[in-house]
Amino acid sequence: MLRMTTTAPRLNQGRPDLAALVEAVSATRMHAAVRELAGDRYAGRRVGSPGGHAAAAWLAKQLGELGAQVQLPEFDVEGVRELYQTPVLEWSSAGQTRRVEHRRDFVEHLASADLPHARSALLVKIPETGAAAGSGTGLRERWVLAEAANFGRACELAETQGAAGVLTVRGTDAEGWMPKMIAGPPARAVPVIAVRPEVHRQLGEALDAGLVQVVGSMPLRQIASRGRNVYARFPHIETGGHRGGAGHGDAHAGGPGDGNAGLRIVLSAHYDGVGDDPDRRLPAAADNASGVAAVLEAARVLAAAAPAGALELTVAFLDGEEAGAWGSAHHAPTLPSDTLVINLDGAAQLHEAAAVEAGGPAHALLAVLDQAARLTGVPLRAGAMASDNRRYAAAGLAAIGIGMGMPGYQTPAETPERVELDTLLAAARLLVAVAWLLAVPLATVR
């Protein structure tokens, strides 16, 4: 496990130029980038959508203005869940009808079959014995109330007996939202709606007391789309007489046999989100406009500084992470085996420490990260980071994933106002320090 780093900055004990570099990081610029990417015209930045492509174009423009060589390679993405209408759910019992709110009281289940039009049917339960309870007529043309523990069995019975659909249970976040996701298990042959625990309990109690009529729709389909990564190579950061091979093929950081003796580092962050609901904005400010803003600012500072030492820097803004990390899966196999990768997913709310996950041959890179954290005063802890870093690590690369919080994760509450300036500063300064330490021998900063 990583040692907890100190929280007091110690840059005055290192190179003055590193201290100046860190101080050049701008929270104002980063927060402006977060607000831009979370804006209405990007519509939640779902992979393959016009909003997602517009975000890629904006990022490419920013990187080009920094003097980078920019490419936007595309790739196919399969199985993206698209909620193309707002679903409905209501039920009636004892002469009263209650309609509940999407994303507050119920949400799309990713295993659901497409149900574009509302279907009205009686509700039944699946008891332990396997027969349907609540109507005495089995499951045909009935909504089935399933517990989490018997969800799979309920779906199988619903499919074989021709049920109208399945209602299962799913929790909410601390603020009462049910987050949106767009990648999941294979679709079932029956519609599935997930309801929050309180609604599930109310339905069960109403069914115990008498007949319950449910009306529900789930307009959810699977689509194929086209992802678009944004790669930016900064050749002027590399010194020592090498120009490397980062322009080969897929604009990766270097290429096999290019003769470049310098270090190759990729700073990555996914820019895509889960996309807006048909009637509600999901700004995706924390996940991951915040991480993108920090990487962009780190690149801006490093590009202007041109640190001494051989360092080949590539920025990779990745698409399709929310749909299954497709962008990094496309990118990772193109990279030389000695490439170092640092992926930032979430830089919005640093609590006690940043979560760090190392994969592949990352021991030396982890040591540099720890040194950079001590110099910048960013506390670290070992923690799971299920993001693009895992795709790079699976390709045999030294890869580290860093996370610094995502308030409002994948809900309408994930707004730019919740992205903390101090956390953006911590993230960008940490990335700048890591890159600098890789370019300059550690002995010169101790």
Side-chain angles (χ1 to χ4, degrees), residues 6-10 374-377:
T6 58
T7 56
R10 301 195 304 163
R374 292 179 184 278
L375 289 169
T376 56

Side-chain angles (χ1 to χ4, degrees), residues 47-237:
V47 60
S49 67
H53 287 169
W58 184 81
L59 289 168
K61 181 176 183 292
Q62 305 308 304
L63 292 163
E65 290 175 353
L66 300 181
Q69 300 171 0
V70 181
Q71 292 190 18
L72 291 86
E74 296 190 349
F75 51 92
D76 293 327
V77 179
E78 302 290 338
V80 179
R81 271 58 165 189
E82 180 181 60
L83 190 69
Y84 57 93
Q85 296 173 13
T86 302
V88 299
L89 179 64
E90 64 181 45
W91 80 88
S92 303
S93 64
Q96 294 185 331
T97 299
R98 178 180 176 186
R99 184 165 186 169
V100 292
E101 181 182 357
H102 177 240
R103 208 149 304 284
R104 282 291 194 183
D105 300 306
F106 77 103
V107 74
E108 59 276 13
H109 192 288
L110 295 175
S112 179
D114 186 15
L115 180 61
H117 305 295
R119 181 176 294 170
S120 178
L122 290 172
L123 183 67
V124 296
K125 288 183 182 178
I126 300 291
E128 293 299 323
T129 60
S135 69
T137 58
L139 304 186
R140 185 167 183 79
E141 295 300 322
R142 300 288 190 267
W143 282 100
V144 180
L145 186 64
E147 302 289 342
N150 68 359
F151 171 71
R153 176 167 164 264
C155 286
E156 291 173 2
L157 290 171
E159 289 166 343
T160 58
Q161 297 186 32
V166 174
L167 301 180
T168 188
V169 64
R170 181 179 150 191
T172 67
D173 68 9
E175 298 170 350
W177 290 104
M178 303 179 79
K180 180 175 182 175
M181 294 176 283
I182 59 172
R188 309 287 315 208
V190 64
V192 183
I193 298 175
V195 300
R196 66 186 176 94
E198 182 182 353
V199 172
H200 192 274
R201 176 182 56 78
Q202 291 170 349
L203 284 166
E205 291 173 350
L207 188 56
D208 289 339
L211 293 179
V212 176
Q213 189 81 13
V214 170
V215 179
S217 70
M218 187 45 63
L220 183 72
R221 60 192 172 198
Q222 293 193 42
I223 63 170
S225 63
R226 192 80 173 153
R228 186 175 296 174
N229 284 345
V230 183
Y231 303 148
R233 176 177 174 256
F234 292 87
H236 55 288
I237 289 182

Side-chain angles (χ1 to χ4, degrees), residues 115-409:
L115 180 61
H117 305 295
R119 181 176 294 170
S120 178
L122 290 172
L123 183 67
V124 296
K125 288 183 182 178
I126 300 291
E128 293 299 323
T129 60
S135 69
T137 58
L139 304 186
R140 185 167 183 79
E141 295 300 322
R142 300 288 190 267
W143 282 100
V144 180
L145 186 64
E147 302 289 342
N150 68 359
F151 171 71
R153 176 167 164 264
C155 286
E156 291 173 2
L157 290 171
E159 289 166 343
T160 58
Q161 297 186 32
V166 174
L167 301 180
T168 188
V169 64
R170 181 179 150 191
T172 67
D173 68 9
E175 298 170 350
W177 290 104
M178 303 179 79
K180 180 175 182 175
M181 294 176 283
I182 59 172
R188 309 287 315 208
V190 64
V192 183
I193 298 175
V195 300
R196 66 186 176 94
E198 182 182 353
V199 172
H200 192 274
R201 176 182 56 78
Q202 291 170 349
L203 284 166
E205 291 173 350
L207 188 56
D208 289 339
L211 293 179
V212 176
Q213 189 81 13
V214 170
V215 179
S217 70
M218 187 45 63
L220 183 72
R221 60 192 172 198
Q222 293 193 42
I223 63 170
S225 63
R226 192 80 173 153
R228 186 175 296 174
N229 284 345
V230 183
Y231 303 148
R233 176 177 174 256
F234 292 87
H236 55 288
I237 289 182
E238 176 188 282
T239 61
H242 295 286
R243 280 303 173 199
H248 295 332
D250 215 4
H252 57 258
D258 62 14
N260 185 5
L263 289 167
R264 299 179 176 93
I265 183 171
V266 173
L267 301 181
S268 64
H270 77 88
Y271 71 88
D272 65 303
V274 294
D276 287 346
D277 281 343
D279 63 346
R280 185 175 263 148
R281 289 286 345 269
L282 282 84
D287 181 25
N288 185 33
S290 64
V292 169
V295 170
L296 181 61
E297 181 65 9
R300 185 188 306 276
V301 171
L302 291 167
L311 177 66
E312 184 180 300
L313 175 67
T314 294
V315 167
F317 289 136
L318 303 166
D319 201 359
E321 193 271 348
E322 301 294 357
W326 289 80
S328 50
H330 177 75
H331 188 214
T334 72
L335 297 173
S337 60
D338 60 351
T339 304
L340 310 176
V341 181
I342 296 180
N343 184 73
L344 181 62
D345 198 349
Q349 191 176 72
L350 180 62
H351 290 296
E352 295 180 355
V356 174
E357 177 180 304
H363 179 76
L365 180 58
L366 197 59
V368 175
L369 176 67
D370 189 61
Q371 176 79 358
R374 292 179 184 278
L375 289 169
T376 56
V378 179
L380 306 179
R381 64 173 176 83
M385 279 301 302
S387 186
D388 289 302
N389 50 286
R390 294 187 177 179
R391 291 287 196 179
Y392 292 110
L397 304 173
I400 289 177
I402 302 173
M404 297 188 183
M406 298 177 181
Y409 174 70

